[in-house]
Amino acid sequence: MMSSENRSDFSASCSSISEEARAKINLALHVTGQRPDGYHLLDMLVTFADHGDRLDFMQSPTDEFALSGRFGETLAGDGGTNLVLKARDLLREAIGPLAFPVRIHLEKNLPVASGIGGGSADAAATLRGLMRLWGTSLPEEALAALALKLGADVPMCLASRPLIARGIGEKIEPVPDLPALPMVLANPLKGVSTPEVFRRLATKNNPTLRLAPSLRGTADWLAAIGAARNDLEPPARELVPEIAVISAMLQAHGALLTRMSGSGATCFGIFATMAAAEDAAAALHDERSDWYFQATETVSGGA
């Protein structure tokens, strides 16, 4: 028989809601221009990994926020700047009295400020999770506008499915034919300044992203991704030489294609099989245990 304490714990666990905040991978990122307000215009081919952060939501007498995970301490003490709290407050403002106090627990498994959308994915997961917990929803356009207030990557992370994003990231088109890709994420755990990366861009009016309308199978997609670019990688390599080192390490362990994601410093290597990715991640970790290596598989467009 359960004790009253155990019954309480069981009841609490049953009333909690969980959301995965998948890592966002820029398979390609073309800088195609710059608006008068300073925002850069981008064409991006984006997918999402099985690996990411995890958020748990539960009704509470007062608002609470807890952190754990390998990179949780990195976010400790950031006060009201955390995108999870900003997402909670914006959504509460939008839906009103239904938004009772909540306890949010963030398990931070992704490196912070690393070019794989960790904070944006956390914000998007917060919107999804709290709408479920609060038993409400927003019209699609209102939710998209709220997400964009939190950051240009948040609308993409709300979808968490393969897509092409244009403009500053708000023009989203699903890519249902993109297959799942075995992958290793790699980061030297050295920060790179996104504003400085953009400042060092040699040109900001580069060719747009163009994909053939009938890509079939992984081989076609690998060729298409290989023909694309990340225009932010050359200036990021100037700032953080370890990006070139970590890319070479992925290639040496059998990656079919390597590239930096976003503004860095995370790189990805695409492998032939998940077993090959897992073997590579283990070997890379043995070589540099102070760096971040994670085998994962991306979600398919038809998932």
Side-chain angles (χ1 to χ4, degrees):
M1 186 179 225
M2 281 191 194
S3 69
S4 60
E5 182 180 348
N6 286 339
R7 280 197 298 271
S8 175
D9 290 344
F10 178 76
S11 174
S13 69
C14 287
S15 63
S16 66
I17 282 175
S18 298
E19 281 284 342
E20 301 296 324
R22 299 178 185 275
K24 178 182 74 69
I25 314 300
N26 288 101
L27 297 173
L29 189 158
H30 295 199
V31 181
T32 60
Q34 189 171 17
R35 300 193 320 193
D37 61 6
Y39 280 96
H40 290 85
L41 300 175
L42 309 173
D43 282 5
M44 296 173 281
L45 176 62
V46 174
T47 191
F48 292 84
D50 281 341
H51 180 68
D53 297 337
R54 176 188 169 95
L55 289 100
D56 297 301
F57 308 88
M58 184 184 301
Q59 185 169 357
S60 176
T62 59
D63 282 333
E64 298 178 43
F65 181 53
L67 284 163
S68 68
R70 179 178 177 184
F71 299 102
E73 286 188 9
T74 311
L75 293 179
D78 71 350
T81 63
N82 192 290
L83 280 176
V84 169
L85 304 184
K86 289 185 176 182
R88 178 201 65 193
D89 295 344
L90 274 179
L91 185 60
R92 173 175 281 146
E93 182 181 328
I95 69 173
L98 292 174
F100 49 75
V102 293
R103 182 183 191 275
I104 302 175
H105 171 236
L106 169 59
E107 183 183 292
K108 190 67 185 167
N109 302 315
L110 298 176
V112 176
S114 58
I116 49 177
S120 297
D122 294 342
T126 299
L127 296 177
R128 293 193 304 265
L130 287 180
M131 284 191 295
R132 290 169 58 203
L133 186 70
W134 288 334
T136 188
S137 62
L138 291 177
E140 186 174 340
E141 288 186 5
L143 181 59
L146 189 153
L148 194 57
K149 283 184 181 179
L150 292 163
D153 285 353
V154 180
M156 296 179 236
C157 293
L158 267 178
S160 287
R161 287 287 180 267
L163 54 88
I164 291 173
R166 303 186 193 273
I168 63 170
E170 82 284 9
K171 300 173 184 176
I172 293 174
E173 171 191 341
V175 183
D177 295 330
L178 185 65
L181 300 169
M183 183 177 287
V184 173
L185 303 178
N187 188 295
L189 299 182
K190 188 171 181 179
V192 57
S193 166
T194 298
E196 183 63 17
V197 168
F198 276 102
R199 191 186 71 78
R200 287 175 176 246
L201 271 175
T203 176
K204 300 181 180 181
N205 294 286
N206 300 295
T208 59
L209 174 67
R210 297 184 182 277
L211 296 174
S214 56
L215 294 171
R216 294 288 180 266
T218 301
D220 282 359
W221 276 101
L222 282 176
I225 295 165
R229 318 177 303 275
N230 182 347
D231 290 329
L232 301 183
E233 187 164 349
R237 286 188 178 213
E238 292 176 8
L239 291 167
V240 181
E242 289 89 344
I243 293 171
V245 173
I246 214 164
S247 181
M249 291 172 70
L250 287 165
Q251 291 173 358
H253 283 276
L256 304 176
L257 183 152
T258 64
R259 183 166 290 153
M260 188 183 80
S261 178
S263 58
T266 301
C267 297
F268 62 85
I270 299 175
F271 287 78
T273 65
M274 194 61 209
E278 289 169 346
D279 289 345
L284 288 162
H285 178 76
D286 288 343
E287 290 179 27
R288 289 299 305 255
S289 60
D290 55 327
W291 288 1
Y292 169 85
F293 298 102
Q294 177 65 51
T296 186
E297 187 173 48
T298 63
V299 299
S300 69

